[in-house]
Amino acid sequence: MSLPRKVKIVEVSPRDGLQNEAKQISAEIKIELINQLSETGLPVIEVTSFVSPRWIPQLADNREVFQGITKKEGVSYPVLIPNLKGLEAAMAAGVKEIAVFTTPSETFSQRNTNCSVAESLKRIKEVVEIAKSNDIQVRAYLSCVLGCPYEGEMDAKKVADLAQQLLQLGCYEISLGDTIGVGTPLKTKRLLEVISQQSNLSQFAVHFHDTYGQALVNIYAALEMGIQTIDSSVAGIGGCPYAEGAAGNVATEDVVYLLQGLNIETGIDLEKLVTVGQFISKELGRLPQSKVNMALAHIIVQSKASISLANGK
Ligand code: HMG
Ligand code: MG
């Protein structure tokens, strides 16, 4: 099995990260976070979601944040959309790329979007049709693919069938969400194996939460299977409000360090990323959930101090 030469990282901290933080972060700080992330070399930054503010009050400032950020050339700035109402609001704000979401779990679908899986597919179909006729690219998430907090194990064939339907509807990429972080390398490989029997894995991304500390080994397993797109969140912030106990997403710093060690290109400046992770962690009032961040931040501080000493400051 050969590893990919290049990997695309989709940064989800401003959306998946901040949607689940108890501390309310101001629009100004969110804009600063995204602007700093844009300078690290990340190709995709999920900015916010246009969901019901009653369901996710943390992201009620979606329009202000989306319109307030500096859009860097070559970087995509998708937003998460649950229905037509969200799409209309996103289009009015000038959004050019969206992500839709569903799940193989009936119970999770009800808890997360107040509808059945079939109804969610109907909503997605309507959203994709209008989005595409307005030149808006659509990515899709499948949540709970390796386990659901309410229904337990998920059937890999069911996940593969749903993914295929989403691709047929016109989504260009499917992100496989291990929403509660229960996956292991073996389960990851088995799922990808089943999916690869009916779809091309080049259209799939992996999205791991780190509840059991398995995210990085799962990513390695996914890379071995040919996955070339990875979702992650700076400083490991995040979770899912409708999946109690789910830890944050795998930290982008940890993923980039792993990929650098494997000689896999990402185009990302790890030192800049560490600084962003420190910035948002400080705003959240805690330490980064990333060993790589903690270790490198220490080295960066020490080397800056020795440069100042050498300059007589
Ligand atoms: P509902 O309550 O059934 O909606 O929620 P409704 O259609 O009955 O409308 C109720 C009210 O909400 C109405 O307002 C609507 O206008 C309004 P009222 O007339 O009562 O004043 N409304 C909206 N407002 C703003 N934006 C909208 C919108 N839609 C309706 N888009 C709904 C259904 C889908 C809206 C709701 O359940 C919802 O917003 N759910 C989203 C929950 C969410 O964001 N979860 C986290 C994201 S998924 C995730 O994190 C997993 C992922 O990271 C991958 C992984 O880790 O696995 C992607
Ligand atoms: Mg998530």
Side-chain angles (χ1 to χ4, degrees):
M1 264 174 257
S2 65
L3 296 174
R5 201 179 51 75
K6 214 173 156 187
V7 156
K8 177 176 85 177
I9 295 205
V10 176
E11 173 64 33
V12 296
S13 57
R15 195 278 303 169
D16 206 6
L18 295 182
Q19 76 180 9
N20 201 39
E21 291 294 339
K23 185 170 176 203
Q24 185 61 41
I25 298 294
S26 69
E28 197 189 341
I29 297 297
K30 290 173 183 169
I31 291 167
E32 177 61 24
L33 167 68
I34 297 162
N35 287 346
Q36 285 191 24
L37 287 168
S38 293
E39 296 302 323
T40 63
L42 280 159
V44 186
I45 303 168
E46 197 175 54
V47 172
T48 183
S49 63
F50 284 78
V51 302
S52 161
R54 273 192 228 157
W55 287 60
I56 307 282
Q58 292 92 330
L59 302 182
D61 54 7
N62 42 31
R63 186 187 175 97
E64 187 184 350
V65 172
F66 187 83
Q67 293 189 331
I69 57 172
T70 304
K71 282 138 195 125
K72 195 176 165 90
E73 176 117 23
V75 179
S76 306
Y77 297 96
V79 301
L80 192 78
I81 300 288
N83 54 15
L84 273 183
K85 190 173 171 106
L87 177 65
E88 280 157 15
M91 280 168 52
V95 164
K96 299 272 182 291
E97 185 176 335
I98 60 167
V100 293
F101 56 108
T102 184
T103 168
S105 161
E106 280 299 337
T107 319
F108 191 78
S109 182
Q110 290 291 348
R111 301 280 176 117
N112 199 30
T113 48
N114 203 21
C115 71
S116 67
V117 176
E119 175 63 24
S120 79
L121 283 172
K122 236 173 86 190
R123 289 182 189 175
I124 289 174
K125 188 168 185 286
E126 292 169 349
V127 166
V128 174
E129 270 169 17
I130 296 184
K132 294 205 84 165
S133 64
N134 283 281
D135 279 335
I136 293 175
Q137 293 294 305
V138 189
R139 181 181 208 238
Y141 286 100
L142 274 176
S143 294
C144 300
V145 296
L146 292 171
C148 167
Y150 313 106
E151 296 184 7
E153 295 264 327
M154 284 291 117
D155 176 13
K157 179 73 174 101
K158 200 168 165 187
V159 176
D161 288 346
L162 253 183
Q164 200 180 26
Q165 283 186 65
L166 291 167
L167 289 172
Q168 280 164 356
L169 286 180
C171 300
Y172 77 90
E173 185 172 275
I174 312 294
S175 175
L176 299 166
D178 182 15
T179 316
I180 53 170
V182 289
T184 60
L186 201 58
K187 284 185 182 170
T188 302
K189 283 194 168 181
R190 277 195 193 133
L191 174 64
L192 293 174
E193 179 65 44
V194 174
I195 292 175
S196 70
Q197 284 160 16
Q198 57 196 85
S199 305
N200 191 333
L201 287 185
S202 65
Q203 287 185 284
F204 286 77
V206 287
H207 177 113
F208 286 106
H209 288 251
D210 206 25
T211 319
Y212 289 86
Q214 303 293 297
L216 278 187
V217 283
N218 291 340
I219 286 172
Y220 188 77
L223 290 170
E224 284 191 322
M225 294 294 291
I227 291 291
Q228 294 174 41
T229 304
I230 299 170
D231 296 359
S232 60
S233 170
V234 77
I237 62 173
C240 180
Y242 300 100
E244 209 178 314
N249 295 78
V250 64
T252 311
E253 299 90 314
D254 294 4
V255 177
V256 172
Y257 186 83
L258 171 73
L259 296 174
Q260 282 185 352
L262 293 168
N263 289 331
I264 296 174
E265 214 180 293
T266 61
I268 295 168
D269 182 327
L270 185 52
E271 191 172 320
K272 282 188 183 167
L273 202 58
V274 165
T275 309
V276 188
Q278 290 282 324
F279 162 75
I280 192 61
S281 299
K282 203 163 161 210
E283 292 297 332
L284 291 166
R286 57 172 155 76
L287 293 171
Q289 306 296 298
S290 158
K291 288 194 173 140
V292 170
N293 189 307
M294 298 292 282
L296 288 181
H298 186 66
I299 293 169
I300 294 167
V301 168
Q302 277 185 334
S303 73
K304 280 192 182 145
S306 57
I307 290 168
S308 299
L309 265 179
N311 291 340
K313 284 183 192 155

